[in-house]
């Protein structure tokens, strides 16, 4: 178990890029993903990796209540479904259960001040811990069920708890992502020096979180005006500022841990890629995946015959 790690999931956006699917729900994390939901998949990866402490950062009390309702215990319903003969539905529902030794807490980010602000806010609730930040847009479908990206990141981090570790994925065009250049994280580089883009999960050492937390009040009051990306104080700027202000001299650094080629990454942050991810989940992760595969094959065969005619 990684008791000294807080798993922070930023869920403060309005999920507009997932409309109309996300319209009327608390957050895109509550969208379906195979037989479960996006948040269930993320939490399962955390718990399987040995994590037990989770902080979900939301934009309002209403969104928090949506998560609490979605994640409340349902063991009694599992038994009801089994008694009615709905075994696979019961199995899917059981996968959404939270381990009894896990703790999920919530905090509100009232203004969209960026992901460095998110980290600072969340760290107030767990000031003695390092963190792993997981964006709900970043979903991994490992070919081997034991190949858990969060676990791999954590195993590397515990060997040196002064490193920011991101998940590196080769991208021909890195202009929409972050890269490491000369020991710093460059967001949306205009002239990239490499093609390894950074994705969550990211490890964030405690000292770096302390630094971000120390800026929260002044940032909210407008007294601290850091260099911002897109009007927000994003995690890359928070990391770089910490390194510039003595962190690097004290041995802190940033690195990428490359994703295994066999593991599939799915960007859930925009409608078409979310739908692609949903299709993948239905065909590979659903309790009814064999039925879905048979249906898809029959549909494609029918379409082929129609086009041949």
């Amino acid at each position: 178990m990684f008791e000294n790690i807080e798993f922070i999931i930023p869920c403060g956006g309005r999920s507009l890029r997932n409309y109309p699917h996300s319209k009327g729900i608390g957050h895109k994390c509550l969208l379906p993903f195979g037989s479960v939901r996006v948040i269930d998949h993320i939490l399962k990866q955390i718990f399987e990796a040995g994590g037990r402490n989770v902080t979900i950062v939301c934009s309002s009390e209403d969104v928090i209540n949506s998560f609490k309702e979605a994640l409340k215990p349902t063991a009694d319903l599992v038994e009801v479904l089994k008694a009615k003969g709905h075994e696979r539905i019961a199995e899917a529902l059981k996968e959404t259960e939270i381990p009894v030794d896990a703790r999920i807490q919530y905090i509100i980010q009232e203004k969209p001040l960026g992901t460095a602000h998110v980290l600072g806010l969340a760290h107030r609730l767990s000031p003695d811990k390092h963190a792993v930040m997981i964006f709900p847009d970043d979903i991994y479908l490992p070919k081997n069920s034991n190949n858990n990206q969060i676990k791999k990141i954590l195993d590397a981090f515990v060997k040196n708890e002064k490193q920011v570790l991101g998940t590196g994925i080769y991208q021909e065009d890195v202009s929409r992502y972050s890269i490491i250049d000369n020991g710093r994280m460059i967001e949306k580089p205009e002239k990239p020096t490499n093609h390894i883009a950074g994705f969550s999960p990211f490890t964030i050492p405690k000292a770096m979180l302390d630094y971000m937390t120390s800026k929260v009040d002044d940032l909210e009051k407008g007294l601290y005006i850091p260099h911002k990306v897109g009007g927000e104080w994003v995690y890359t700027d928070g990391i770089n500022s910490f390194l510039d202000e003595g962190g690097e001299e004290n041995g802190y650094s940033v690195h990428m841990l490359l994703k295994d080629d066999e593991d599939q990454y799915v960007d859930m942050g925009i409608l078409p890629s979310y739908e692609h991810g949903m299709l993948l989940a239905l065909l590979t992760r659903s309790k009814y995946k064999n039925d879905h595969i048979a249906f898809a094959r029959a549909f494609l065969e029918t379409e082929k015959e129609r086009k041949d005619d």
Side-chain angles (χ1 to χ4, degrees), residues 215-255:
K215 306 294 185 185
V216 164
D217 287 338
D218 284 348
L219 185 67
E220 292 174 351
K221 295 173 184 176
L223 301 176
Y224 175 61
I225 311 294
H227 170 65
K228 296 182 180 181
V229 176
E232 298 180 354
W233 192 38
V234 298
Y235 71 98
T236 51
D237 259 342
I239 290 168
N240 292 338
S241 295
F242 173 82
L243 293 173
D244 291 343
E245 296 178 25
E248 186 173 45
E249 294 176 5
N250 287 303
Y252 289 86
S253 58
V254 293
H255 307 276

Side-chain angles (χ1 to χ4, degrees), residues 69 93 112 126 151 184 189 193 262:
E69 180 67 21
L93 186 59
S126 304
K151 181 66 161 55
R184 297 293 183 271
T193 56
E262 291 185 341

Side-chain angles (χ1 to χ4, degrees), residues 202-213:
F202 289 99
T203 61
I204 313 291
K206 177 186 177 301
M208 199 170 287
L209 294 164
D210 292 340
Y211 171 83
M212 294 180 191
T213 299

Side-chain angles (χ1 to χ4, degrees), residues 35-50:
S35 293
V36 293
R37 297 154 302 187
V38 175
I39 189 63
D40 301 315
H41 179 81
I42 294 171
L43 291 175
K44 184 178 180 182
Q45 292 290 298
I46 291 171
F47 299 143
E48 287 183 347

Side-chain angles (χ1 to χ4, degrees), residues 10 27 105 132 178 236 246:
H27 190 268
Q105 58 186 359
V132 171
S178 64
T236 51

Side-chain angles (χ1 to χ4, degrees), residues 146-164:
N146 295 322
N147 202 19
N148 183 313
Q149 184 65 22
I150 297 173
K151 181 66 161 55
K152 287 188 292 184
I153 287 277
L154 288 169
D155 287 343
F157 176 70
V158 297
K159 296 175 183 177
N160 174 11
E161 295 184 347
K162 287 190 172 185
Q163 59 182 330
V164 173

